[in-house]
Amino acid sequence: MIFTILKVIGIILLVVLALILTALLCVLFVSVKYRAVGSFDNTDIRAKAHVSWLFHLFALHIEYAQETDGYIRFAFVKKKLFDNYEALDDDDMDEAAKTETEDKVSENTGDEPKIPADESEHVADEQAEDECTARTHNEYRSVTDENQHIKQQTKPTHKKTYKKPHKKSHKKQFKDKSDKIKNCIYKLKREYSDERNKAAFLHLKKELFIILKRICPRRLKLTMVYSTGSPDTTGISLGILACFPVGYTNRWRITPDFESEKPYAKGSFDIKGHVIVISILAATLRILFDKNCRRLYNRISR
């Protein structure tokens, strides 16, 4: 009996360990896919972004047109990320517009809403009752004001003063942060000029380039027609764009418009790629366990 119980417990533990190991391997080796598509026409930008993992078991979707909308989904559970106000129906909008128009007309003409003849006596009784209630309320308020005036006269004149806690202004906080950033940049420049830290910077450059290469999209399509409003600056900008090899590898289609006198840009884009967590984690661990990088970190953090 005891061996049977131990056998069942052992099987349960093995199943739990297998599930944990499977989940860990999925996180490390299953790629996270992402894609973004959209179009733009000067300031009118429309875009969609989608991130998925493990055969769309986990998904993140975001859309942007005039408003931002999106959701996050895990298995069959979906949750919205943004709470947008729902638009009114056409009938509700027509009714609201009609009511507003009637109110404006009554304000301009000074006409009061008509009361049916059979309800005039009832309205007169309600008006008399309201006048009586208002008179009673005014009398009660006058008595209350007199009592309050007497309390203020008898109240001691000494007032306690409380010191407000000192808070740094936004300018002071911004100055402190900028000083910290400047100090960090100064330390980096000082350590970079030191011959003993060249190995650490070379290793950092190599690993960061690997991380950037793993994160960058595999496909980056761009189709654009643009003009800067002047033929010379349009040609200069086209020459600058031609210097980037990413345009040749992804076959960008960029058409300059030398005849337009107004600056504009319109087109579409399609970005697609994936990220494998194990490659990013491996590069990060190689940086953390490198003795030259650790020594550089200790010198900067002093």
Side-chain angles (χ1 to χ4, degrees):
M1 185 67 180
I2 297 175
F3 292 104
T4 306
I5 295 173
L6 293 176
K7 182 180 178 180
V8 173
I9 294 173
I11 293 173
I12 294 173
L13 290 176
L14 286 176
V15 171
V16 172
L17 289 175
L19 291 175
I20 294 173
L21 183 61
T22 304
L24 182 61
L25 292 175
C26 288
V27 170
L28 293 177
F29 292 98
V30 177
S31 61
V32 179
K33 298 179 181 180
Y34 63 90
R35 187 177 183 183
V37 295
S39 62
F40 56 92
D41 187 356
N42 290 338
T43 57
D44 184 14
I45 301 174
R46 301 174 183 272
K48 295 180 181 180
H50 188 80
V51 180
S52 62
W53 175 73
L54 196 61
F55 307 106
H56 297 275
L57 181 66
F58 172 84
L60 174 66
H61 185 80
I62 296 176
E63 295 183 9
Y64 175 78
Q66 294 179 350
E67 294 181 351
T68 305
D69 194 10
Y71 64 86
I72 185 170
R73 188 185 72 239
F74 182 75
F76 300 103
V77 180
K78 182 191 283 189
K79 183 179 180 181
K80 293 194 67 176
L81 296 176
F82 307 98
D83 295 330
N84 295 327
Y85 295 102
E86 297 182 354
L88 293 174
D89 297 335
D90 294 337
D91 296 336
D92 295 337
M93 294 179 67
D94 294 339
E95 186 178 354
K98 184 178 179 181
T99 305
E100 185 178 358
T101 305
E102 291 177 355
D103 293 340
K104 287 183 178 180
V105 170
S106 62
E107 288 178 0
N108 293 330
T109 57
D111 296 335
E112 295 182 355
K114 296 181 179 180
I115 302 174
D118 55 350
E119 295 183 2
S120 59
E121 296 180 358
H122 181 67
V123 172
D125 295 338
E126 288 184 353
Q127 290 179 354
E129 185 177 354
D130 292 339
E131 291 177 359
C132 182
T133 305
R135 192 182 303 110
T136 306
H137 179 69
N138 291 332
E139 292 176 357
Y140 174 76
R141 190 169 61 179
S142 62
V143 173
T144 306
D145 293 340
E146 291 179 359
N147 295 334
Q148 187 68 23
H149 181 66
I150 294 171
K151 288 181 180 180
Q152 289 179 356
Q153 290 180 350
T154 57
K155 187 183 293 185
T157 57
H158 178 69
K159 293 183 179 180
K160 294 183 180 180
T161 57
Y162 298 95
K163 292 184 178 180
K164 294 183 179 180
H166 179 67
K167 293 183 180 180
K168 292 184 177 180
S169 61
H170 294 289
K171 292 183 179 180
K172 181 66 176 177
Q173 292 178 357
F174 179 76
K175 185 178 179 181
D176 294 341
K177 290 180 180 179
S178 61
D179 291 339
K180 289 181 181 179
I181 294 173
K182 289 179 181 179
N183 190 21
C184 184
I185 294 173
Y186 171 75
K187 287 183 179 180
L188 284 174
K189 288 182 178 179
R190 184 189 62 189
E191 299 299 332
Y192 184 76
S193 61
D194 193 348
E195 294 291 334
R196 295 173 295 178
N197 297 324
K198 280 192 174 181
F201 279 104
L202 288 175
H203 186 71
L204 279 173
K205 181 180 177 182
K206 178 183 176 182
E207 298 298 337
L208 291 177
F209 181 76
I210 291 174
I211 293 174
L212 185 62
K213 187 177 179 181
R214 297 289 186 270
I215 295 176
C216 283
R218 301 294 186 269
R219 183 176 70 186
L220 179 57
K221 290 185 178 181
L222 176 64
T223 303
M224 182 175 68
V225 179
Y226 80 100
S227 173
T228 60
S230 177
D232 53 348
T233 55
T234 302
I236 291 172
S237 60
L238 182 63
I240 294 173
L241 291 173
C243 295
F244 296 97
V246 65
Y248 301 106
T249 57
N250 291 277
R251 297 179 181 179
W252 287 2
R253 296 180 180 178
I254 301 176
T255 306
D257 185 0
F258 295 100
E259 297 180 357
S260 177
E261 297 180 355
K262 295 182 179 180
Y264 74 93
K266 61 180 180 180
S268 61
F269 59 89
D270 186 0
I271 303 171
K272 187 177 182 180
H274 64 272
V275 179
I276 301 177
V277 178
I278 186 64
S279 59
I280 309 297
L281 183 62
T284 306
L285 290 177
R286 286 195 296 266
I287 292 174
L288 293 176
F289 288 103
D290 185 72
K291 61 179 182 179
N292 295 321
C293 293
R294 290 203 306 269
R295 185 179 62 204
L296 176 63
Y297 175 75
N298 292 330
R299 288 174 63 87
I300 293 176
S301 60
R302 281 190 226 172

